[in-house]
């Protein structure tokens, strides 16, 4: 009896030693131990679907290494830490077949339910659904507290959450020096809403932050005075009246008229404008937000004071849809109109008839894209999708759909049109980005477009933007651009002088001005001889603090990472100020896209206040933070 017990104990000890050698392998975290058969171990690969069983020798892991290389070579493997390997080699893992579910507090359940309803944009009556409550009943709750009894109680809880979110936003804005906003008007189900979003830069990591401020119902005509009043009320409610660096809107006449310039913002033409090509059309020499000025004192009292920036994406869209036709010759204009008319006929057929859509997919292997108003590069993408179809297939498709076929000249014109407007599409995609899309990206992007095949047209439309003081300072204070995007040496020199001037006027320049003062020589108390007194010089200044001129020169020689701004406080302050605004009003358009999913026809009784709060909490992802 003792002999058998001793043998089993030695067997178990040997098995543990073999398993300990497997656990000591640095990539054993991707496998689960299954069992031991004589001199082999059976493990499960956690990376394979279904957890594939693999066999390997007890004293070798080469088979497992080959499996990782062949099947999962595209995955970057992370080795276990040495401390975990040592701990696992000395401690035996205990398998637990019982999973204890700990009770959850009522507050945590409430937050999870609110997150589910708001993030998935579900009606508040979801909490009253029998199937939903059956799921909640399976969750153990600590104490005797009950969950939401009806949707009204749940609505009161959401109101408290919204008040907390609003309070947190106000605290964030109090500690933020520069904030920009976007604004637009949206109409849905015979109701109009004005939406606004806020944008700022985190000074610690230079990430662009954003939040939705309002989506208020407005009634009556959308005149400039109503727009101005609503925007000013939103700014005041969050304490942003003195912090808004710019408000970005589209080119609507009511928004343009709603903004005015304060006298301090009216500046003379910058020297960089005089260095531009003389052959360029000189329509407007003022920045975007300086095009509309008040005509009388009464109007000036009702207009907004923050600077106004027009949406760059909307401006570029006007180039591809309006300006190109103006610059075409009579012959090309006729071809352009007939070709786009046939494209519109195809889009209408494919979008309104299921038979036509199926026919397009069977002949061409893909569906046609239909342009939309709010997606400004969708027209180019829709035309490009048609040009991807070979001309014989396109002729067959048109004949079967009852649409006039494209001629050879029209087809070639569409191909050339897509090639010419392709830089605009890429520019739109860059300017409408969500992550770290600084305002400084605007001028380098437009400069790239201006030197494409659309140079004359884009210069005409963007003449007021290419030399705007705010855009130049925003671009030069981004380390990845600086002055590399400027082609003319005279413009580079003028921009460098502008940056030096701004750094000298920066509030951070005042404490450092002392280094330029002539200080009296300081005599050390230990020096008593006449020779020591004779060789007394001014003490050397700290190399860590230097003046604005030297700061600019050192900055222009530095790297292209955003982190280099921490070494240049004046330039960092300018970068935070001028790069806060987004280049387009796409963020508020995304707010409206979410709004269309909340304000559905089946939820037509949803109140305006309730709709706004649900939408803002969803846009800001309040419950995910």
């Amino acid at each position: 009896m003792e002999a058998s017990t001793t043998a089993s104990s030695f067997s178990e000890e040997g098995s543990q030693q073999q398993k300990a050698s497997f656990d000591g392998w640095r990539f054993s975290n991707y496998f689960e131990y299954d069992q031991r058969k004589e001199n082999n171990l059976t493990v499960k690969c956690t990376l394979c679907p279904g957890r594939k069983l693999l066999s390997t020798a007890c004293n070798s892991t080469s088979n497992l290494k080959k499996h990782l290389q062949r099947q999962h070579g595209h995955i970057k493997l992370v080795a276990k830490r040495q401390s975990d390997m040592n701990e696992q080699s000395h401690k035996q893992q205990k398998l637990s077949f019982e999973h204890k579910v700990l009770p959850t507090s009522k507050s945590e359940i409430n937050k999870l339910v609110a997150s589910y309803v708001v993030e998935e944009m579900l009606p508040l009556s979801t909490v009253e659904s029998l199937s939903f409550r059956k799921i909640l009943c399976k969750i153990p709750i600590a104490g005797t507290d009950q969950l939401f009894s009806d949707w009204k109680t749940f609505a009161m809880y959401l109101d408290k959450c919204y008040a907390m979110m609003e309070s947190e936003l106000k605290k964030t804005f109090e500690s933020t020096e520069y904030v920009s906003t976007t604004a637009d008007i949206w109409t849905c189900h015979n109701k109009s809403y004005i939406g606004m979003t806020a944008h700022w830069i985190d000074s610690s990591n230079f990430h662009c932050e954003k939040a939705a401020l309002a989506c208020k119902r407005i009634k009556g005509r959308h005149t400039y005075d109503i727009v101005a009043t609503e925007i000013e009320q939103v700014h005041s409610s969050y304490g942003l009246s003195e912090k808004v660096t710019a408000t970005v809107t589209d080119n609507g006449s009511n928004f343009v008229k709603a903004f005015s310039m304060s006298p301090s913002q009216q500046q003379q033409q910058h020297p960089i404008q005089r260095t531009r090509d003389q052959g360029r059309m000189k329509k407007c020499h003022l920045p975007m937000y300086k095009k509309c000025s008040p005509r009388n004192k009464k109007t000036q009292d009702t207009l907004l004071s923050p600077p106004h920036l027009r949406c760059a994406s909307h401006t570029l869209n006007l180039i591809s849809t309006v300006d190109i036709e103006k610059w075409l010759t009579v012959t090309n204009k006729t071809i352009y109109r007939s070709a786009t008319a046939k494209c519109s006929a195809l889009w209408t057929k494919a979008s309104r008839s299921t038979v036509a859509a199926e026919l397009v997919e069977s002949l061409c292997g893909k569906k046609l894209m239909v342009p939309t108003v709010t997606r400004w590069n969708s027209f180019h993408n829709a035309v490009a999708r048609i040009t991807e179809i070979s001309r014989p297939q396109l002729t067959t498709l048109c004949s079967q759909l009852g649409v006039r076929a494209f001629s050879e000249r029209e087809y070639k014109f569409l191909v050339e049109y897509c090639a010419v407007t392709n830089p605009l599409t890429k520019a739109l995609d860059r300017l409408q980005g969500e992550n770290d899309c600084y305002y400084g990206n605007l001028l380098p992007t437009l400069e790239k477009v201006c030197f494409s095949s659309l140079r004359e047209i884009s210069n005409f439309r963007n003449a007021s933007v290419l030399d705007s003081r705010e855009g130049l300072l925003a671009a030069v204070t981004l380390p990845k651009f600086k002055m590399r995007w400027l082609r003319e040496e005279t413009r580079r020199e003028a921009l460098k002088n502008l940056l030096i001037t701004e750094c000298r006027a920066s509030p951070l320049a005042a404490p450092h001005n002392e280094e330029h003062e002539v200080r009296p020589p300081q005599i050390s108390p230990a020096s008593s001889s006449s020779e020591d007194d004779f060789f007394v010089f001014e003490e050397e200044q700290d190399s860590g603090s230097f003046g604005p001129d030297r700061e600019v020169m050192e900055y222009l020689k530095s790297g292209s990472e955003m982190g280099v701004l921490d070494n240049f406080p004046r330039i960092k302050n300018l970068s935070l100020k001028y790069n806060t605004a987004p280049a387009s009003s796409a963020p508020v358009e995304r707010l409206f896209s979410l709004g269309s999913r909340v304000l559905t026809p089946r939820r037509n009784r949803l109140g305006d206040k309730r709709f706004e709060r649900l939408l803002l909490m969803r846009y800001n992802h309040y419950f995910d933070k």
Side-chain angles (χ1 to χ4, degrees), residues 84-101:
D84 297 339
M85 295 167 59
N86 295 336
E87 182 180 358
Q88 291 183 3
S89 62
H90 291 87
K91 293 184 178 180
Q92 178 182 358
Q93 292 184 351
K94 295 182 179 180
L95 300 179
S96 176
F97 298 96
E98 296 182 359
H99 179 64
K100 296 182 180 180
V101 180

Side-chain angles (χ1 to χ4, degrees), residues 131-401:
S131 58
F132 182 74
R133 298 191 73 85
K134 286 180 181 179
I135 298 176
L136 293 182
C137 291
K138 298 297 182 179
I139 304 176
I141 303 176
T144 58
D145 296 335
Q146 299 295 325
L147 296 177
F148 304 114
S149 58
D150 54 7
W151 70 269
K152 293 183 179 179
T153 308
F154 181 57
M156 294 174 61
Y157 174 78
L158 290 181
D159 291 340
K160 294 180 181 178
C161 294
Y162 178 81
M164 294 175 61
M165 182 191 72
E166 200 174 39
S167 177
E168 292 176 4
L169 277 178
K170 292 180 179 179
K171 290 181 180 178
T172 303
F173 293 146
E174 287 178 0
S175 59
T176 305
E177 188 174 1
Y178 304 112
V179 181
S180 66
T181 56
T182 64
D184 201 358
I185 294 179
W186 173 57
T187 301
C188 181
H189 303 306
N190 297 326
K191 295 180 180 180
S192 297
Y193 299 88
I194 181 169
M196 291 190 65
T197 61
H199 304 266
W200 66 98
I201 300 177
D202 190 344
S203 59
S204 60
N205 53 20
F206 301 101
H207 287 172
C208 295
E209 306 291 342
K210 64 179 180 178
L213 298 182
C215 191
K216 299 174 59 178
R217 171 80 182 277
I218 56 174
K219 299 181 180 180
R221 300 181 61 187
H222 307 160
T223 56
Y224 73 95
D225 53 343
I226 293 179
V227 171
T229 302
E230 295 294 339
I231 294 178
E232 183 61 29
Q233 288 180 356
V234 174
H235 286 170
S236 300
S237 62
Y238 286 92
L240 299 177
S241 299
E242 303 297 330
K243 294 187 176 184
V244 177
T245 59
T247 299
V248 184
T249 70
D250 58 16
N251 295 331
S253 59
N254 53 348
F255 278 104
V256 173
K257 194 175 180 180
F259 288 85
S260 67
M261 285 175 24
S262 61
S264 59
Q265 291 173 329
Q266 299 183 2
Q267 300 175 355
Q268 300 295 330
Q269 182 180 359
H270 193 268
I272 294 183
Q273 292 175 315
R274 295 191 289 268
T275 64
R276 297 292 295 173
D277 297 336
Q278 298 297 326
R280 195 185 69 192
M281 298 189 65
K282 299 179 180 179
K283 282 283 184 178
C284 299
H285 297 284
L286 292 177
M288 280 176 147
Y289 64 87
K290 300 182 181 181
K291 284 188 175 181
C292 181
S293 58
R295 295 186 177 182
N296 52 60
K297 185 176 180 180
K298 182 178 179 181
T299 307
Q300 186 177 4
D301 295 337
T302 60
L303 295 182
L304 294 172
S305 58
H308 177 216
L309 298 178
R310 300 193 187 189
C311 176
S313 299
H314 193 195
T315 304
L316 290 178
N317 173 68
L318 295 177
I319 295 176
S320 60
T321 57
V322 179
D323 296 342
I324 285 183
E325 187 174 0
K326 294 180 180 179
W327 287 76
L328 292 175
T329 61
V330 177
T331 305
N332 290 335
K333 188 177 295 185
T334 303
I335 299 175
Y336 172 77
R337 291 177 178 176
S338 61
T340 53
K342 293 176 182 179
C343 290
S344 300
L346 282 178
W347 296 328
T348 304
K349 285 278 188 178
S351 61
R352 296 184 180 180
S353 173
T354 56
V355 177
E358 293 171 357
L359 182 61
V360 171
E361 191 172 1
S362 62
L363 287 177
C364 308
K366 57 185 68 175
K367 296 182 179 180
L368 296 181
M369 300 177 63
V370 180
T372 57
V373 179
T374 56
R375 300 295 180 266
W376 291 309
N377 53 355
S378 61
F379 181 80
H380 170 275
N381 296 335
V383 175
R385 177 62 61 88
I386 293 178
T387 59
E388 293 175 0
I389 305 172
S390 62
R391 189 165 176 270
Q393 287 182 338
L394 190 59
T395 303
T396 304
L397 178 62
C398 291
S399 61
Q400 293 190 16
L401 292 180

Side-chain angles (χ1 to χ4, degrees), residues 349-524:
K349 285 278 188 178
S351 61
R352 296 184 180 180
S353 173
T354 56
V355 177
E358 293 171 357
L359 182 61
V360 171
E361 191 172 1
S362 62
L363 287 177
C364 308
K366 57 185 68 175
K367 296 182 179 180
L368 296 181
M369 300 177 63
V370 180
T372 57
V373 179
T374 56
R375 300 295 180 266
W376 291 309
N377 53 355
S378 61
F379 181 80
H380 170 275
N381 296 335
V383 175
R385 177 62 61 88
I386 293 178
T387 59
E388 293 175 0
I389 305 172
S390 62
R391 189 165 176 270
Q393 287 182 338
L394 190 59
T395 303
T396 304
L397 178 62
C398 291
S399 61
Q400 293 190 16
L401 292 180
V403 179
R404 292 182 59 187
F406 291 83
S407 64
E408 185 176 357
R409 294 184 62 185
E410 291 172 343
Y411 186 80
K412 289 183 178 180
F413 181 86
L414 292 179
V415 173
E416 186 177 355
Y417 171 83
C418 294
V420 171
T421 58
N422 187 51
L424 285 177
T425 305
K426 293 182 178 180
L428 283 169
D429 292 337
R430 292 181 61 86
L431 297 178
Q432 295 179 126
E434 286 191 84
N435 300 324
D436 298 339
C437 187
Y438 307 99
Y439 188 71
N441 295 332
L442 176 60
L443 290 193
T445 303
L446 293 181
E447 194 76 16
K448 199 72 174 178
V449 174
C450 289
F451 279 87
S452 64
S453 52
L454 291 173
R455 178 174 183 176
E456 293 183 356
I457 306 176
S458 56
N459 278 343
F460 164 72
R461 176 66 66 173
N462 297 299
S464 61
V465 191
L466 292 173
D467 293 327
S468 66
R469 173 175 167 273
E470 288 72 17
L472 290 168
L473 289 173
V476 74
T477 53
L478 281 182
K480 67 176 180 179
F481 292 125
K482 293 180 183 175
M483 297 192 300
R484 302 185 186 98
W485 55 280
L486 292 175
R487 301 172 184 266
E488 301 140 4
E489 188 62 31
T490 53
R491 296 188 68 200
R492 290 189 178 188
E493 191 65 25
L495 181 54
K496 184 176 71 173
N497 294 334
L498 174 63
L499 182 59
I500 293 175
T501 303
E502 288 294 322
C503 287
R504 289 174 179 174
S506 175
L508 296 177
H512 297 275
N513 285 340
E514 297 177 357
E515 66 183 77
H516 299 288
E517 297 178 0
V518 179
R519 298 182 179 181
Q522 299 179 359
I523 302 176
S524 175

